[in-house]
Amino acid sequence: PSYLTKTSSSLALNVYTAVHNPITLNGRKRLCQGVLNHIDTRSLLKEIASPIVSIHGDNATLVRALHATEFLNGRRSCPSIPQALRGGNRTSIVIMQGGHELFQEKKD
């Protein structure tokens, strides 16, 4: 079952907002503006010499799991996080059941 079928939306919002977030409203606006004015850096991902671990919810609508394939272009795909963390140009994509807020939805 999905998180919101077991938890009311008001409780989910209360849990989400109860966690201290040091980003001010102005900071959030600047982050959004930065996203809107971004430069496409996907071609640079293959040059990152460190592992990339990308965790996605299969029901996320904000950042869909299919977008994770961009992290694989020019990189070594690893089926597990421990394999990716061995270093170098490795990527592990983990897709879990859930939405965008996986750490809230999958606490257990």
Side-chain angles (χ1 to χ4, degrees):
S2 77
Y3 176 68
L4 289 177
T5 59
K6 297 185 297 182
T7 306
S8 70
S9 57
S10 61
L11 177 59
L13 182 61
N14 283 339
V15 169
Y16 182 71
T17 56
V19 176
H20 175 67
N21 186 338
I23 303 173
T24 64
L25 180 57
N26 188 43
R28 292 172 196 224
K29 289 178 187 177
R30 293 178 60 203
L31 283 170
C32 291
Q33 192 62 46
V35 168
L36 293 172
N37 294 331
H38 84 284
I39 297 171
D40 188 354
T41 59
R42 288 177 291 180
S43 64
L44 302 175
L45 290 172
K46 64 181 173 284
E47 298 176 25
I48 296 175
S50 298
I52 294 175
V53 175
S54 180
I55 302 173
H56 296 268
D58 61 356
N59 291 318
T61 55
L62 185 59
V63 179
R64 296 175 53 203
L66 69 91
H67 297 136
T69 58
E70 292 294 333
F71 292 116
L72 296 173
N73 292 335
R75 298 182 61 83
R76 181 175 173 192
S77 177
C78 296
S80 71
I81 294 172
Q83 287 179 340
L85 295 179
R86 290 183 183 148
N89 194 326
R90 299 170 185 243
T91 298
S92 178
I93 296 175
V94 178
I95 299 177
M96 301 174 60
Q97 290 182 343
H100 180 69
E101 288 295 331
L102 286 171
F103 294 113
Q104 180 177 336
E105 297 172 33
K106 302 291 183 181
K107 289 185 287 190
D108 302 329

